[in-house]
Amino acid sequence: MSEEILNALVQLFAIIAKQDEGVDEKEIQYVENFLTQQLGNENVASYLASFKQKAGIGEDASKKPEEEQEGKKKKIKLTAVNDAVRVLGLCRKINKTLNQKQKVVVLVRLFELVNADRNFSDQRMAILNTVAEVFNISKEEFKSIETFVVETDT
């Protein structure tokens, strides 16, 4: 996988993970495992640090819990448009480089990230829908991918 695509995927992972309540430990572990699969042990730390930075992990640690809750509510409203624009830009970049089968794999990986903490919020699903639309993945195929990743029964 090219460095450009890997960077775009890490950014998409960060955008999705930081939605709603923020990044869960299971999501961080998923990203770390994904990077290890792709890179071996080379550069995993730098890509993981990039993911954490883009996901906003560790920011505003000095805030009080009440301020943090207010900040989260405001942040979700303020960053939703920015995140949507970034998602579109990243998907267009990926769209130019990958073939259709590879785009399906990217969508599967994004579903796996969301499935890591089983938080299928409206906000996260909207991002996944946007990715599918930009990648020209049909609604039927989207639903099949969702079922494949989410269902625990064989």
Side-chain angles (χ1 to χ4, degrees), residues 119-134:
N119 182 5
F120 294 92
S121 68
D122 291 342
Q123 214 170 6
R124 290 174 178 209
M125 292 307 293
I127 292 171
L128 293 176
N129 276 307
T130 299
V131 171
E133 286 177 23
V134 174

Side-chain angles (χ1 to χ4, degrees), residues 84-95:
V85 170
R86 283 185 50 216
V87 166
L88 283 172
L90 292 167
C91 288
R92 287 186 181 129
K93 182 186 295 186
I94 291 170
N95 218 8

Side-chain angles (χ1 to χ4, degrees), residues 132-147:
E133 286 177 23
V134 174
F135 287 175
N136 201 24
I137 295 174
S138 70
K139 292 193 183 303
E140 295 81 22
E141 192 169 10
F142 179 87
K143 193 67 182 159
S144 294
I145 292 168
E146 180 179 18
T147 301

Side-chain angles (χ1 to χ4, degrees), residues 53-68:
Q53 185 259 327
K54 289 177 184 356
I57 297 173
E59 291 179 359
D60 301 319
S62 61
K63 282 188 175 180
K64 295 179 182 174
E66 298 85 12
E67 292 174 326
E68 193 171 293

Side-chain angles (χ1 to χ4, degrees), residues 17-72:
K18 74 178 183 177
Q19 301 302 312
D20 306 314
E21 291 89 38
V23 183
D24 184 79
E25 187 61 38
K26 291 176 185 175
E27 292 167 326
I28 296 170
Q29 189 61 50
Y30 173 82
V31 172
E32 186 172 2
N33 290 339
F34 170 79
L35 291 170
T36 302
Q37 284 178 334
Q38 296 299 314
L39 303 169
N41 288 327
E42 294 179 33
N43 300 324
V44 170
S46 66
Y47 280 101
L48 192 59
S50 174
F51 166 77
K52 289 179 177 180
Q53 185 259 327
K54 289 177 184 356
I57 297 173
E59 291 179 359
D60 301 319
S62 61
K63 282 188 175 180
K64 295 179 182 174
E66 298 85 12
E67 292 174 326
E68 193 171 293
Q69 289 301 320
E70 289 175 13
K72 278 186 181 180

